Short mmCIF file of all heavy atoms in Angstrom, two decimals:
data_model
loop_
_atom_site.label_atom_id
_atom_site.label_comp_id
_atom_site.label_asym_id
_atom_site.label_seq_id
_atom_site.Cartn_x
_atom_site.Cartn_y
_atom_site.Cartn_z
N VAL A 1 -55.19 -48.07 -4.16
CA VAL A 1 -56.27 -47.07 -3.87
C VAL A 1 -55.83 -46.23 -2.70
O VAL A 1 -55.35 -46.71 -1.70
CB VAL A 1 -57.60 -47.83 -3.50
CG1 VAL A 1 -58.63 -46.94 -3.00
CG2 VAL A 1 -58.06 -48.69 -4.65
N ALA A 2 -55.88 -44.90 -2.97
CA ALA A 2 -55.46 -44.00 -1.94
C ALA A 2 -56.48 -43.87 -0.86
O ALA A 2 -57.71 -43.94 -1.08
CB ALA A 2 -55.12 -42.63 -2.54
N ALA A 3 -55.99 -43.67 0.34
CA ALA A 3 -57.01 -43.54 1.48
C ALA A 3 -57.54 -42.13 1.43
O ALA A 3 -56.94 -41.17 1.08
CB ALA A 3 -56.12 -43.68 2.83
N GLN A 4 -58.89 -42.19 1.68
CA GLN A 4 -59.64 -40.94 1.70
C GLN A 4 -59.35 -40.11 2.90
O GLN A 4 -59.29 -40.73 4.04
CB GLN A 4 -61.14 -41.27 1.60
CG GLN A 4 -61.57 -41.90 0.28
CD GLN A 4 -61.32 -40.93 -0.85
OE1 GLN A 4 -61.61 -39.68 -0.70
NE2 GLN A 4 -60.98 -41.43 -2.02
N PRO A 5 -59.07 -38.82 2.88
CA PRO A 5 -58.89 -38.11 4.13
C PRO A 5 -60.12 -38.04 4.97
O PRO A 5 -61.28 -37.94 4.46
CB PRO A 5 -58.47 -36.66 3.67
CG PRO A 5 -59.05 -36.61 2.20
CD PRO A 5 -59.06 -37.96 1.72
N VAL A 6 -59.92 -38.16 6.24
CA VAL A 6 -61.14 -38.19 7.13
C VAL A 6 -61.52 -36.61 7.36
O VAL A 6 -60.69 -35.81 7.62
CB VAL A 6 -60.72 -38.77 8.53
CG1 VAL A 6 -61.83 -38.62 9.60
CG2 VAL A 6 -60.23 -40.09 8.39
N PRO A 7 -62.78 -36.38 7.02
CA PRO A 7 -63.21 -35.05 7.10
C PRO A 7 -63.21 -34.56 8.62
O PRO A 7 -63.45 -35.37 9.55
CB PRO A 7 -64.66 -34.99 6.65
CG PRO A 7 -65.05 -36.43 6.68
CD PRO A 7 -63.85 -37.23 6.53
N GLU A 8 -62.85 -33.33 8.77
CA GLU A 8 -62.82 -32.71 10.18
C GLU A 8 -64.35 -32.73 10.73
O GLU A 8 -65.16 -32.32 10.00
CB GLU A 8 -62.20 -31.30 10.19
CG GLU A 8 -60.75 -31.35 9.96
CD GLU A 8 -60.26 -29.98 10.19
OE1 GLU A 8 -60.55 -29.21 11.16
OE2 GLU A 8 -59.37 -29.54 9.29
N ARG A 9 -64.37 -33.08 11.93
CA ARG A 9 -65.75 -33.11 12.52
C ARG A 9 -65.90 -31.69 13.26
O ARG A 9 -65.01 -31.16 13.86
CB ARG A 9 -65.84 -34.14 13.61
CG ARG A 9 -65.80 -35.53 13.01
CD ARG A 9 -65.90 -36.57 14.09
NE ARG A 9 -65.85 -37.91 13.46
CZ ARG A 9 -66.31 -38.95 13.95
NH1 ARG A 9 -67.06 -38.92 15.02
NH2 ARG A 9 -66.10 -40.11 13.30
N LEU A 10 -67.10 -31.24 13.11
CA LEU A 10 -67.45 -29.89 13.72
C LEU A 10 -67.62 -30.10 15.26
O LEU A 10 -68.18 -31.08 15.68
CB LEU A 10 -68.65 -29.29 13.19
CG LEU A 10 -68.62 -28.99 11.64
CD1 LEU A 10 -69.99 -28.58 11.12
CD2 LEU A 10 -67.55 -27.93 11.43
N PRO A 11 -67.18 -29.16 15.94
CA PRO A 11 -67.30 -29.40 17.42
C PRO A 11 -68.91 -29.20 17.79
O PRO A 11 -69.51 -28.47 17.22
CB PRO A 11 -66.57 -28.23 17.99
CG PRO A 11 -66.40 -27.20 16.96
CD PRO A 11 -66.49 -28.02 15.63
N VAL A 12 -69.17 -30.12 18.77
CA VAL A 12 -70.65 -30.19 19.15
C VAL A 12 -70.58 -29.34 20.48
O VAL A 12 -69.93 -29.69 21.42
CB VAL A 12 -71.12 -31.52 19.30
CG1 VAL A 12 -72.61 -31.49 19.89
CG2 VAL A 12 -71.19 -32.29 18.06
N PRO A 13 -71.46 -28.28 20.56
CA PRO A 13 -71.51 -27.56 21.81
C PRO A 13 -72.15 -28.31 22.96
O PRO A 13 -73.07 -29.23 22.70
CB PRO A 13 -72.43 -26.24 21.47
CG PRO A 13 -73.22 -26.74 20.25
CD PRO A 13 -72.39 -27.77 19.57
N SER A 14 -71.62 -28.11 24.12
CA SER A 14 -72.18 -28.84 25.32
C SER A 14 -73.60 -28.24 25.60
O SER A 14 -74.00 -27.23 25.08
CB SER A 14 -71.33 -28.60 26.48
OG SER A 14 -71.37 -27.24 26.90
N SER A 15 -74.35 -28.93 26.41
CA SER A 15 -75.63 -28.49 26.77
C SER A 15 -75.57 -27.17 27.50
O SER A 15 -76.36 -26.24 27.31
CB SER A 15 -76.39 -29.58 27.58
OG SER A 15 -75.67 -29.77 28.76
N ALA A 16 -74.59 -26.97 28.31
CA ALA A 16 -74.30 -25.60 29.01
C ALA A 16 -74.11 -24.52 28.02
O ALA A 16 -74.53 -23.49 28.13
CB ALA A 16 -73.19 -25.76 30.01
N GLU A 17 -73.25 -24.81 26.95
CA GLU A 17 -72.93 -23.80 25.94
C GLU A 17 -74.21 -23.47 25.20
O GLU A 17 -74.43 -22.25 24.91
CB GLU A 17 -71.88 -24.32 24.95
CG GLU A 17 -70.56 -24.41 25.47
CD GLU A 17 -69.50 -25.15 24.48
OE1 GLU A 17 -69.90 -26.12 23.90
OE2 GLU A 17 -68.48 -24.62 24.37
N ALA A 18 -75.03 -24.44 24.83
CA ALA A 18 -76.29 -24.19 24.13
C ALA A 18 -77.24 -23.41 24.98
O ALA A 18 -77.92 -22.46 24.63
CB ALA A 18 -76.92 -25.44 23.68
N ALA A 19 -77.36 -23.74 26.35
CA ALA A 19 -78.21 -22.99 27.28
C ALA A 19 -77.74 -21.57 27.46
O ALA A 19 -78.59 -20.70 27.46
CB ALA A 19 -78.26 -23.72 28.53
N LEU A 20 -76.45 -21.40 27.60
CA LEU A 20 -75.89 -20.02 27.68
C LEU A 20 -76.26 -19.13 26.45
O LEU A 20 -76.64 -18.04 26.63
CB LEU A 20 -74.46 -20.00 28.05
CG LEU A 20 -73.80 -18.66 28.36
CD1 LEU A 20 -74.43 -18.13 29.64
CD2 LEU A 20 -72.31 -18.88 28.64
N ALA A 21 -76.03 -19.77 25.32
CA ALA A 21 -76.27 -19.07 24.10
C ALA A 21 -77.84 -18.67 23.95
O ALA A 21 -78.19 -17.58 23.59
CB ALA A 21 -75.90 -19.75 22.87
N ARG A 22 -78.66 -19.63 24.33
CA ARG A 22 -80.05 -19.39 24.23
C ARG A 22 -80.58 -18.29 25.26
O ARG A 22 -81.34 -17.46 24.92
CB ARG A 22 -80.87 -20.70 24.60
CG ARG A 22 -82.34 -20.54 24.47
CD ARG A 22 -83.03 -21.89 24.34
NE ARG A 22 -84.53 -21.62 24.11
CZ ARG A 22 -85.43 -21.96 24.98
NH1 ARG A 22 -85.10 -22.48 26.10
NH2 ARG A 22 -86.69 -21.70 24.74
N ALA A 23 -79.94 -18.42 26.44
CA ALA A 23 -80.31 -17.39 27.48
C ALA A 23 -79.92 -15.96 27.03
O ALA A 23 -80.62 -15.00 27.24
CB ALA A 23 -79.62 -17.69 28.81
N GLN A 24 -78.79 -15.89 26.31
CA GLN A 24 -78.25 -14.63 25.86
C GLN A 24 -79.22 -14.07 24.80
O GLN A 24 -79.48 -12.87 24.74
CB GLN A 24 -76.84 -14.71 25.35
CG GLN A 24 -75.85 -14.96 26.45
CD GLN A 24 -74.42 -15.31 25.90
OE1 GLN A 24 -74.33 -15.94 24.94
NE2 GLN A 24 -73.41 -14.86 26.66
N ARG A 25 -79.71 -14.98 23.92
CA ARG A 25 -80.59 -14.53 22.86
C ARG A 25 -81.95 -14.14 23.47
O ARG A 25 -82.54 -13.09 23.11
CB ARG A 25 -80.92 -15.65 21.88
CG ARG A 25 -79.77 -15.90 20.85
CD ARG A 25 -80.17 -16.90 19.73
NE ARG A 25 -80.81 -18.12 20.19
CZ ARG A 25 -80.08 -19.21 20.50
NH1 ARG A 25 -78.81 -19.20 20.43
NH2 ARG A 25 -80.74 -20.28 20.89
N LEU A 26 -82.43 -14.78 24.50
CA LEU A 26 -83.69 -14.44 25.10
C LEU A 26 -83.51 -13.11 25.89
O LEU A 26 -84.47 -12.26 25.87
CB LEU A 26 -84.05 -15.53 26.11
CG LEU A 26 -84.53 -16.83 25.52
CD1 LEU A 26 -84.62 -17.98 26.57
CD2 LEU A 26 -85.94 -16.62 24.83
N GLN A 27 -82.40 -12.91 26.51
CA GLN A 27 -82.18 -11.63 27.21
C GLN A 27 -82.15 -10.50 26.22
O GLN A 27 -82.75 -9.46 26.39
CB GLN A 27 -80.84 -11.70 27.98
CG GLN A 27 -80.49 -10.38 28.71
CD GLN A 27 -79.09 -9.96 28.70
OE1 GLN A 27 -78.31 -10.49 27.88
NE2 GLN A 27 -78.73 -9.05 29.47
N SER A 28 -81.47 -10.61 25.11
CA SER A 28 -81.41 -9.57 24.13
C SER A 28 -82.72 -9.27 23.47
O SER A 28 -82.91 -8.15 22.99
CB SER A 28 -80.30 -9.89 23.11
OG SER A 28 -80.69 -10.97 22.21
N SER A 29 -83.62 -10.27 23.50
CA SER A 29 -84.95 -10.01 22.93
C SER A 29 -85.95 -9.57 24.00
O SER A 29 -87.12 -9.41 23.75
CB SER A 29 -85.40 -11.21 22.09
OG SER A 29 -85.73 -12.28 23.08
N GLY A 30 -85.46 -9.33 25.23
CA GLY A 30 -86.33 -8.83 26.27
C GLY A 30 -87.10 -9.89 27.05
O GLY A 30 -87.88 -9.53 27.93
N ARG A 31 -86.83 -11.15 26.79
CA ARG A 31 -87.54 -12.23 27.43
C ARG A 31 -86.71 -12.65 28.71
O ARG A 31 -86.21 -13.71 28.75
CB ARG A 31 -87.77 -13.39 26.52
CG ARG A 31 -88.71 -13.02 25.40
CD ARG A 31 -88.91 -14.00 24.36
NE ARG A 31 -89.42 -15.23 24.97
CZ ARG A 31 -89.41 -16.42 24.33
NH1 ARG A 31 -89.09 -16.47 23.03
NH2 ARG A 31 -89.85 -17.50 24.91
N LEU A 32 -86.72 -11.76 29.68
CA LEU A 32 -85.81 -11.91 30.80
C LEU A 32 -86.11 -13.09 31.69
O LEU A 32 -85.23 -13.86 32.13
CB LEU A 32 -85.70 -10.64 31.64
CG LEU A 32 -85.31 -9.39 30.83
CD1 LEU A 32 -85.37 -8.14 31.81
CD2 LEU A 32 -83.93 -9.56 30.27
N HIS A 33 -87.41 -13.31 31.99
CA HIS A 33 -87.82 -14.46 32.90
C HIS A 33 -87.49 -15.78 32.15
O HIS A 33 -87.03 -16.69 32.82
CB HIS A 33 -89.27 -14.37 33.19
CG HIS A 33 -89.60 -13.22 34.12
ND1 HIS A 33 -89.27 -13.28 35.43
CD2 HIS A 33 -90.15 -11.97 33.90
CE1 HIS A 33 -89.66 -12.18 35.99
NE2 HIS A 33 -90.21 -11.30 35.06
N ASP A 34 -87.71 -15.87 30.88
CA ASP A 34 -87.37 -17.05 30.09
C ASP A 34 -85.89 -17.38 30.15
O ASP A 34 -85.45 -18.43 30.28
CB ASP A 34 -87.86 -16.95 28.66
CG ASP A 34 -89.40 -16.94 28.57
OD1 ASP A 34 -89.96 -17.53 29.49
OD2 ASP A 34 -89.87 -16.42 27.60
N ALA A 35 -85.08 -16.31 30.06
CA ALA A 35 -83.64 -16.41 30.02
C ALA A 35 -83.17 -16.96 31.43
O ALA A 35 -82.33 -17.88 31.53
CB ALA A 35 -82.95 -15.08 29.80
N MET A 36 -83.79 -16.47 32.50
CA MET A 36 -83.47 -16.94 33.81
C MET A 36 -83.79 -18.42 34.03
O MET A 36 -83.04 -19.24 34.53
CB MET A 36 -84.28 -16.10 34.92
CG MET A 36 -83.83 -14.70 35.01
SD MET A 36 -82.19 -14.48 35.77
CE MET A 36 -82.62 -14.80 37.45
N ASP A 37 -84.94 -18.84 33.36
CA ASP A 37 -85.30 -20.28 33.49
C ASP A 37 -84.21 -21.09 32.78
O ASP A 37 -83.91 -22.17 33.23
CB ASP A 37 -86.69 -20.43 32.81
CG ASP A 37 -87.85 -19.91 33.74
OD1 ASP A 37 -87.61 -19.67 34.97
OD2 ASP A 37 -88.98 -19.73 33.18
N VAL A 38 -83.79 -20.69 31.66
CA VAL A 38 -82.78 -21.43 30.84
C VAL A 38 -81.52 -21.58 31.67
O VAL A 38 -80.92 -22.68 31.66
CB VAL A 38 -82.52 -20.80 29.47
CG1 VAL A 38 -81.41 -21.46 28.77
CG2 VAL A 38 -83.83 -20.91 28.59
N LEU A 39 -81.14 -20.52 32.35
CA LEU A 39 -79.89 -20.59 33.03
C LEU A 39 -79.90 -21.52 34.16
O LEU A 39 -78.84 -22.02 34.63
CB LEU A 39 -79.48 -19.19 33.58
CG LEU A 39 -79.12 -18.16 32.50
CD1 LEU A 39 -78.98 -16.73 33.06
CD2 LEU A 39 -77.84 -18.60 31.79
N GLU A 40 -81.11 -21.89 34.71
CA GLU A 40 -81.24 -22.78 35.84
C GLU A 40 -80.72 -24.22 35.36
O GLU A 40 -80.29 -24.99 36.19
CB GLU A 40 -82.70 -22.97 36.23
CG GLU A 40 -83.14 -21.78 37.02
CD GLU A 40 -82.32 -21.44 38.25
OE1 GLU A 40 -82.03 -22.41 39.02
OE2 GLU A 40 -82.05 -20.21 38.45
N GLY A 41 -80.62 -24.48 34.04
CA GLY A 41 -80.23 -25.73 33.61
C GLY A 41 -78.71 -25.98 33.54
O GLY A 41 -78.19 -26.96 33.33
N ILE A 42 -77.93 -24.91 33.87
CA ILE A 42 -76.45 -25.09 33.85
C ILE A 42 -76.11 -25.42 35.34
O ILE A 42 -76.30 -24.59 36.25
CB ILE A 42 -75.82 -23.66 33.39
CG1 ILE A 42 -76.19 -23.44 32.00
CG2 ILE A 42 -74.32 -23.80 33.50
CD1 ILE A 42 -75.74 -22.19 31.47
N ARG A 43 -75.51 -26.60 35.50
CA ARG A 43 -75.23 -27.16 36.78
C ARG A 43 -74.10 -26.45 37.51
O ARG A 43 -73.10 -25.90 36.85
CB ARG A 43 -74.91 -28.61 36.73
CG ARG A 43 -76.04 -29.40 36.14
CD ARG A 43 -75.75 -30.82 36.02
NE ARG A 43 -76.88 -31.51 35.47
CZ ARG A 43 -76.93 -32.80 35.50
NH1 ARG A 43 -75.96 -33.54 35.97
NH2 ARG A 43 -77.99 -33.45 34.98
N HIS A 44 -74.07 -26.52 38.84
CA HIS A 44 -72.95 -26.06 39.62
C HIS A 44 -71.79 -26.94 39.25
O HIS A 44 -71.91 -28.16 38.97
CB HIS A 44 -73.24 -26.27 41.12
CG HIS A 44 -74.32 -25.34 41.61
ND1 HIS A 44 -73.98 -24.03 41.92
CD2 HIS A 44 -75.56 -25.41 41.82
CE1 HIS A 44 -75.10 -23.43 42.31
NE2 HIS A 44 -76.11 -24.24 42.25
N GLY A 45 -70.63 -26.47 39.21
CA GLY A 45 -69.43 -27.14 38.86
C GLY A 45 -69.15 -27.15 37.29
O GLY A 45 -68.05 -27.56 36.89
N ASP A 46 -70.04 -26.71 36.50
CA ASP A 46 -69.86 -26.67 35.03
C ASP A 46 -68.85 -25.53 34.81
O ASP A 46 -68.97 -24.46 35.43
CB ASP A 46 -71.21 -26.35 34.41
CG ASP A 46 -70.99 -26.60 32.82
OD1 ASP A 46 -70.40 -25.61 32.22
OD2 ASP A 46 -71.49 -27.50 32.27
N PRO A 47 -67.93 -25.72 33.91
CA PRO A 47 -66.97 -24.61 33.60
C PRO A 47 -67.65 -23.28 33.19
O PRO A 47 -67.08 -22.23 33.36
CB PRO A 47 -66.02 -25.18 32.48
CG PRO A 47 -66.21 -26.63 32.50
CD PRO A 47 -67.68 -26.93 33.13
N LEU A 48 -68.88 -23.36 32.65
CA LEU A 48 -69.54 -22.18 32.13
C LEU A 48 -70.42 -21.56 33.21
O LEU A 48 -71.06 -20.53 33.06
CB LEU A 48 -70.44 -22.46 30.91
CG LEU A 48 -69.58 -22.75 29.60
CD1 LEU A 48 -70.51 -23.18 28.49
CD2 LEU A 48 -68.73 -21.62 29.29
N ARG A 49 -70.45 -22.17 34.40
CA ARG A 49 -71.34 -21.67 35.50
C ARG A 49 -71.00 -20.20 35.83
O ARG A 49 -71.91 -19.44 36.05
CB ARG A 49 -71.22 -22.58 36.64
CG ARG A 49 -72.17 -22.27 37.87
CD ARG A 49 -73.59 -22.26 37.42
NE ARG A 49 -74.44 -21.76 38.49
CZ ARG A 49 -75.49 -22.34 38.93
NH1 ARG A 49 -75.78 -23.46 38.54
NH2 ARG A 49 -76.18 -21.75 39.89
N PRO A 50 -69.72 -19.81 35.94
CA PRO A 50 -69.40 -18.42 36.25
C PRO A 50 -70.00 -17.40 35.25
O PRO A 50 -70.50 -16.39 35.59
CB PRO A 50 -67.89 -18.32 36.32
CG PRO A 50 -67.47 -19.72 36.65
CD PRO A 50 -68.47 -20.66 35.95
N ARG A 51 -69.88 -17.77 33.99
CA ARG A 51 -70.58 -16.96 32.95
C ARG A 51 -72.05 -16.88 33.06
O ARG A 51 -72.66 -15.88 32.89
CB ARG A 51 -70.16 -17.34 31.51
CG ARG A 51 -68.67 -17.15 31.29
CD ARG A 51 -68.17 -17.60 29.87
NE ARG A 51 -69.06 -17.01 28.86
CZ ARG A 51 -68.96 -17.62 27.52
NH1 ARG A 51 -68.19 -18.66 27.35
NH2 ARG A 51 -69.78 -17.09 26.63
N ALA A 52 -72.63 -18.04 33.35
CA ALA A 52 -74.13 -18.14 33.62
C ALA A 52 -74.53 -17.26 34.78
O ALA A 52 -75.46 -16.49 34.70
CB ALA A 52 -74.50 -19.51 33.72
N ASP A 53 -73.70 -17.32 35.87
CA ASP A 53 -73.97 -16.55 37.10
C ASP A 53 -73.85 -15.01 36.80
O ASP A 53 -74.68 -14.24 37.24
CB ASP A 53 -73.11 -16.90 38.22
CG ASP A 53 -73.37 -18.28 38.78
OD1 ASP A 53 -74.52 -18.81 38.59
OD2 ASP A 53 -72.56 -18.85 39.50
N ALA A 54 -72.92 -14.63 35.99
CA ALA A 54 -72.68 -13.29 35.59
C ALA A 54 -73.90 -12.80 34.81
O ALA A 54 -74.44 -11.74 35.07
CB ALA A 54 -71.38 -13.04 34.89
N LEU A 55 -74.37 -13.59 33.85
CA LEU A 55 -75.49 -13.25 33.04
C LEU A 55 -76.81 -13.20 33.92
O LEU A 55 -77.59 -12.25 33.79
CB LEU A 55 -75.67 -14.26 31.92
CG LEU A 55 -76.95 -14.00 30.95
CD1 LEU A 55 -76.79 -12.58 30.33
CD2 LEU A 55 -76.99 -15.06 29.87
N ARG A 56 -76.91 -14.05 34.84
CA ARG A 56 -78.06 -14.06 35.78
C ARG A 56 -78.05 -12.72 36.56
O ARG A 56 -79.12 -12.13 36.76
CB ARG A 56 -77.93 -15.25 36.70
CG ARG A 56 -79.09 -15.37 37.66
CD ARG A 56 -79.04 -16.55 38.61
NE ARG A 56 -79.29 -17.84 37.80
CZ ARG A 56 -78.37 -18.70 37.60
NH1 ARG A 56 -77.09 -18.51 37.96
NH2 ARG A 56 -78.59 -19.74 36.84
N GLY A 57 -76.89 -12.33 36.99
CA GLY A 57 -76.84 -11.06 37.74
C GLY A 57 -77.24 -9.85 36.90
O GLY A 57 -77.98 -8.98 37.40
N THR A 58 -76.87 -9.86 35.70
CA THR A 58 -77.14 -8.77 34.73
C THR A 58 -78.75 -8.74 34.52
O THR A 58 -79.30 -7.70 34.53
CB THR A 58 -76.46 -8.99 33.37
OG1 THR A 58 -75.03 -8.94 33.67
CG2 THR A 58 -76.87 -7.96 32.33
N ILE A 59 -79.22 -9.96 34.36
CA ILE A 59 -80.71 -10.01 34.08
C ILE A 59 -81.47 -9.59 35.31
O ILE A 59 -82.54 -8.92 35.28
CB ILE A 59 -81.09 -11.47 33.66
CG1 ILE A 59 -80.51 -11.76 32.32
CG2 ILE A 59 -82.59 -11.65 33.69
CD1 ILE A 59 -80.61 -13.30 31.86
N GLN A 60 -81.02 -9.96 36.50
CA GLN A 60 -81.66 -9.57 37.75
C GLN A 60 -81.70 -8.05 37.84
O GLN A 60 -82.68 -7.48 38.26
CB GLN A 60 -81.01 -10.27 38.94
CG GLN A 60 -81.30 -11.71 39.03
CD GLN A 60 -80.40 -12.41 40.18
OE1 GLN A 60 -79.37 -11.91 40.56
NE2 GLN A 60 -80.94 -13.57 40.63
N ARG A 61 -80.56 -7.38 37.56
CA ARG A 61 -80.48 -5.99 37.55
C ARG A 61 -81.43 -5.37 36.58
O ARG A 61 -82.18 -4.39 36.90
CB ARG A 61 -79.07 -5.47 37.30
CG ARG A 61 -78.15 -5.55 38.48
CD ARG A 61 -76.80 -4.90 38.26
NE ARG A 61 -75.98 -5.51 37.27
CZ ARG A 61 -75.29 -6.67 37.39
NH1 ARG A 61 -75.25 -7.23 38.58
NH2 ARG A 61 -74.58 -7.08 36.43
N GLN A 62 -81.59 -5.95 35.42
CA GLN A 62 -82.55 -5.43 34.46
C GLN A 62 -84.01 -5.61 34.91
O GLN A 62 -84.84 -4.64 34.75
CB GLN A 62 -82.39 -6.19 33.09
CG GLN A 62 -81.17 -5.81 32.37
CD GLN A 62 -81.02 -6.67 31.07
OE1 GLN A 62 -81.08 -7.93 31.12
NE2 GLN A 62 -80.78 -5.97 29.97
N LEU A 63 -84.21 -6.77 35.64
CA LEU A 63 -85.60 -6.99 36.11
C LEU A 63 -85.90 -5.93 37.27
O LEU A 63 -87.04 -5.34 37.29
CB LEU A 63 -85.76 -8.36 36.65
CG LEU A 63 -85.82 -9.45 35.61
CD1 LEU A 63 -85.70 -10.79 36.19
CD2 LEU A 63 -87.14 -9.31 34.82
N LEU A 64 -84.95 -5.64 38.06
CA LEU A 64 -85.20 -4.74 39.19
C LEU A 64 -85.32 -3.33 38.64
O LEU A 64 -86.19 -2.53 39.13
CB LEU A 64 -83.97 -4.78 40.06
CG LEU A 64 -83.96 -5.92 41.00
CD1 LEU A 64 -82.61 -5.91 41.84
CD2 LEU A 64 -85.08 -5.94 42.03
N GLU A 65 -84.50 -2.96 37.62
CA GLU A 65 -84.69 -1.59 36.99
C GLU A 65 -86.03 -1.40 36.32
O GLU A 65 -86.66 -0.37 36.46
CB GLU A 65 -83.58 -1.39 35.95
CG GLU A 65 -82.16 -1.25 36.59
CD GLU A 65 -81.11 -1.19 35.51
OE1 GLU A 65 -81.35 -1.41 34.27
OE2 GLU A 65 -79.99 -1.25 35.97
N SER A 66 -86.55 -2.41 35.71
CA SER A 66 -87.85 -2.41 35.05
C SER A 66 -88.91 -2.34 36.05
O SER A 66 -89.97 -1.60 35.87
CB SER A 66 -88.09 -3.55 34.03
OG SER A 66 -88.16 -4.76 34.75
N ALA A 67 -88.74 -3.03 37.22
CA ALA A 67 -89.74 -2.89 38.25
C ALA A 67 -89.75 -1.61 38.95
O ALA A 67 -90.89 -1.03 39.18
CB ALA A 67 -89.47 -4.05 39.36
N ASN A 68 -88.57 -0.89 39.06
CA ASN A 68 -88.59 0.41 39.63
C ASN A 68 -89.16 1.41 38.66
O ASN A 68 -89.64 2.43 39.10
CB ASN A 68 -87.08 0.71 39.99
CG ASN A 68 -86.62 0.00 41.24
OD1 ASN A 68 -87.42 -0.46 41.99
ND2 ASN A 68 -85.31 -0.20 41.30
N ALA A 69 -88.99 1.24 37.38
CA ALA A 69 -89.47 2.13 36.41
C ALA A 69 -91.01 2.15 36.36
O ALA A 69 -91.66 3.16 36.13
CB ALA A 69 -88.94 1.83 35.01
N ILE A 70 -91.60 0.91 36.75
CA ILE A 70 -93.07 0.84 36.72
C ILE A 70 -93.66 1.36 37.96
O ILE A 70 -94.80 1.88 37.97
CB ILE A 70 -93.45 -0.67 36.49
CG1 ILE A 70 -93.00 -1.12 35.09
CG2 ILE A 70 -94.96 -0.83 36.66
CD1 ILE A 70 -93.16 -2.60 34.90
N ARG A 71 -92.93 1.29 39.09
CA ARG A 71 -93.49 1.68 40.38
C ARG A 71 -93.82 3.26 40.34
O ARG A 71 -93.04 4.06 39.98
CB ARG A 71 -92.43 1.40 41.46
CG ARG A 71 -92.89 1.81 42.79
CD ARG A 71 -91.88 1.42 43.89
NE ARG A 71 -91.48 0.05 43.79
CZ ARG A 71 -90.38 -0.45 44.29
NH1 ARG A 71 -89.53 0.38 44.95
NH2 ARG A 71 -90.13 -1.72 44.22
N PRO A 72 -95.02 3.54 40.77
CA PRO A 72 -95.38 5.01 40.86
C PRO A 72 -94.56 5.64 41.92
O PRO A 72 -94.25 5.12 42.96
CB PRO A 72 -96.86 5.03 41.13
CG PRO A 72 -97.16 3.61 41.71
CD PRO A 72 -96.08 2.74 41.23
N GLN A 73 -94.25 6.93 41.59
CA GLN A 73 -93.51 7.76 42.62
C GLN A 73 -94.31 8.78 43.33
O GLN A 73 -95.22 9.26 43.06
CB GLN A 73 -92.27 8.31 41.85
CG GLN A 73 -91.37 7.26 41.26
CD GLN A 73 -90.10 7.78 40.77
OE1 GLN A 73 -89.83 8.93 40.93
NE2 GLN A 73 -89.41 6.97 40.10
#
């Protein structure tokens, strides 16, 4: 009886990868505050933390721009 080949396992994303992807989806749909909340779940020291911080900065700029656009002049 020939041995059956072991099927390749699909990589499982880390919780940080899942959080970053979710935050990006929320940002692209305009749910900026929700995206910021999701990014809080990515811990300091995680390899994806720099990307999360960069996205956080982008979202903060978007929030400031939208606040400035609403402010009467």
Side-chain angles (χ1 to χ4, degrees):
V1 174
Q4 295 291 323
V6 177
E8 287 187 44
R9 295 181 185 207
L10 296 175
V12 177
S14 68
S15 60
E17 289 172 316
L20 187 58
R22 182 164 186 245
Q24 289 169 326
R25 283 192 309 274
L26 289 166
Q27 180 217 13
S28 67
S29 67
R31 296 176 56 192
L32 302 178
H33 291 283
D34 292 333
M36 291 289 283
D37 289 342
V38 170
L39 290 172
E40 290 300 316
I42 299 177
R43 298 180 180 194
H44 292 280
D46 190 288
L48 291 177
R49 183 61 188 233
R51 288 179 54 197
D53 289 342
L55 180 57
R56 183 178 289 110
T58 299
I59 293 170
Q60 287 172 339
R61 281 188 294 282
Q62 288 177 308
L63 288 168
L64 287 171
E65 289 169 4
S66 66
N68 288 335
I70 295 171
R71 184 180 302 163
Q73 298 192 9

